[in-house]
Amino acid sequence: MRLLTIGSGLRGAKIVELLHKKGVRVNRVPLFKCFCVLNNEEHLRRVSLKEDRKFYVHGLRGDVSGFVSKLTALYEIFEGSLIVTSLEDDFGYLTSLELCERLKKVTEDTVIALALVPQLDTSSIGEIKKRIRSLRDSTDVLILFEGEVGVEQKILKVMNLISLAGEIDLKKKVAGEVVVDTSDVFNALKGDGFAIAGIAERKIPLHIKNLIFRKDSEMKALRTKRMIELTEEALKNVSINGDIESSKSALLLFAGKPEEMTMEGLFSSISMIENLNRDIVVRYGDYPIPGMRKLAAVLIFSGIRKFRFA
């Protein structure tokens, strides 16, 4: 899934800078096409993107029409747009609204906003809720993350796994048992309300004795149990404390060493999610990465309308 990725405001721009540096590549092609928009010259110098990928506008409500025109003239393939910002950054928030609205008008692609929500002791609850509603109305998908210390790495892991959906690595030539494509991801994310993400990962221990002396059935049970535990962990490690029991749809993706994923583990994890809400629609898939010594699970719930500040 190749995303036109724009950081609005300094914090959004720094997250996009991280996606530029450490975002996944498939067939040597980066899946995140990164840009940023800022209204401060010092902030521009602090973001290490190429000069033609950084755009300066003047004032709190700068005109981004020239920037959008530049993007639509690019000879690059995008399947959607991702706007990253912080809700406590006035410029970043206002510019994100305009970017989302303009991109929806000039492209037919899905527009996703990823917003950092400040903690209760730093902002007005009423104002933040108002900004969430306005940003949701201006975009196709809104994903919320609590703006805690270290959230950038969580966003990197989540977006890297999501972006792998629908991609085929020609060098590795390995396909998942259950392939999820870009349209599945977009359909899972779209809906009323907002979306939240959970992630969990584990290193795969290398025990030669287990490989030699354990029966296939025992190894399969161990791997199945690990997948279920990762799903449970992802449910607890969500990006913001939202009412997941009322969500309309969910997306579950496993990625990692192919031998460590089992269909039993996948379908047991799906059943766990379905037990949260009998009406929830769950989309799911796996993305094998040969040679990887980790197994990761990413879980996204959408259609959420309520959340609680920490």
Side-chain angles (χ1 to χ4, degrees), residues 186-256:
F186 289 155
N187 288 333
L189 294 176
K190 288 180 179 179
D192 296 333
F194 57 87
I196 64 174
I199 182 122
E201 64 178 11
R202 288 190 187 178
K203 289 185 177 180
I204 306 300
L206 181 61
H207 297 306
I208 301 299
K209 290 183 179 179
N210 285 345
L211 296 176
I212 296 175
F213 296 109
R214 281 201 173 186
K215 297 179 180 179
D216 289 345
S217 59
E218 292 178 306
M219 292 301 298
K220 190 174 184 179
L222 178 65
R223 290 162 177 163
T224 296
K225 181 173 179 289
R226 182 186 292 123
M227 292 177 70
I228 295 171
E229 290 173 348
L230 280 171
T231 303
E232 292 173 335
E233 192 175 329
L235 280 168
K236 297 175 183 177
N237 187 31
V238 291
S239 56
I240 196 167
N241 193 3
D243 183 17
I244 59 176
E245 288 81 5
S246 65
S247 60
K248 304 300 182 184
S249 66
L251 174 69
L252 174 64
L253 292 172
F254 285 97

Side-chain angles (χ1 to χ4, degrees), residues 112-115 141-145 159 162 189 194-197 239 300:
I112 303 169
L114 190 157
V141 176
L142 174 60
I143 305 175
L144 297 182
F145 279 79
M159 295 310 301
I162 293 175
L189 294 176
F194 57 87
I196 64 174
S239 56
I300 298 182

Side-chain angles (χ1 to χ4, degrees), residues 175-191:
E177 292 288 335
V178 182
V179 178
V180 58
D181 60 22
T182 301
S183 62
D184 291 323
V185 175
F186 289 155
N187 288 333
L189 294 176
K190 288 180 179 179

Side-chain angles (χ1 to χ4, degrees), residues 3 10 19 22 37 40 42 50 70 89 105 115 143 152 171 180 189-190 204 209 227 255-256 299 307:
L3 294 173
L10 181 58
L19 289 169
K22 297 186 178 181
V37 183
N40 184 300
E42 173 61 28
K50 291 182 179 180
K70 175 183 176 181
D89 180 340
K105 288 180 180 179
I143 305 175
E152 294 82 2
K171 183 178 180 181
V180 58
L189 294 176
K190 288 180 179 179
I204 306 300
K209 290 183 179 179
M227 292 177 70
L299 181 57
F307 67 92

Side-chain angles (χ1 to χ4, degrees), residues 41-220:
E41 294 180 17
E42 173 61 28
H43 292 172
L44 282 170
R45 289 191 287 270
R46 290 169 59 183
V47 179
S48 58
L49 296 177
K50 291 182 179 180
E51 290 303 312
D52 62 349
R53 300 270 166 155
K54 298 188 286 187
F55 194 81
Y56 172 80
V57 298
H58 179 71
L60 189 61
R61 291 177 176 268
D63 183 7
V64 296
S65 57
F67 175 56
V68 174
S69 296
K70 175 183 176 181
L71 295 177
T72 56
L74 291 173
Y75 292 100
E76 295 191 58
I77 297 174
F78 306 121
E79 295 170 286
S81 299
L82 173 67
I83 316 298
V84 185
T85 194
S86 169
L87 293 180
E88 63 181 339
D89 180 340
D90 293 340
F91 168 78
Y93 159 69
L94 292 171
T95 303
S96 293
L97 288 178
E98 186 176 356
L99 285 170
C100 289
E101 290 170 355
R102 286 183 178 272
L103 286 169
K104 285 180 69 174
K105 288 180 180 179
V106 300
T107 72
E108 297 180 355
D109 300 325
T110 299
V111 178
I112 303 169
L114 190 157
L116 300 183
V117 179
Q119 294 181 342
L120 176 60
D121 59 354
T122 60
S123 297
S124 161
I125 297 178
E127 177 62 21
I128 292 301
K129 287 185 176 180
K130 178 182 176 182
R131 292 189 175 194
I132 290 172
R133 288 193 295 268
S134 296
L135 194 53
R136 180 63 191 88
D137 291 341
S138 300
T139 190
D140 295 311
V141 176
L142 174 60
I143 305 175
L144 297 182
F145 279 79
E146 187 174 349
E148 59 191 352
V149 176
V151 69
E152 294 82 2
Q153 290 297 323
K154 181 182 288 188
I155 291 172
L156 175 67
K157 291 177 181 178
V158 168
M159 295 310 301
N160 271 346
L161 288 178
I162 293 175
S163 66
L164 287 172
E167 295 295 324
I168 299 175
D169 193 318
L170 298 178
K171 183 178 180 181
K172 295 176 182 176
K173 297 180 181 179
V174 177
E177 292 288 335
V178 182
V179 178
V180 58
D181 60 22
T182 301
S183 62
D184 291 323
V185 175
F186 289 155
N187 288 333
L189 294 176
K190 288 180 179 179
D192 296 333
F194 57 87
I196 64 174
I199 182 122
E201 64 178 11
R202 288 190 187 178
K203 289 185 177 180
I204 306 300
L206 181 61
H207 297 306
I208 301 299
K209 290 183 179 179
N210 285 345
L211 296 176
I212 296 175
F213 296 109
R214 281 201 173 186
K215 297 179 180 179
D216 289 345
S217 59
E218 292 178 306
M219 292 301 298
K220 190 174 184 179

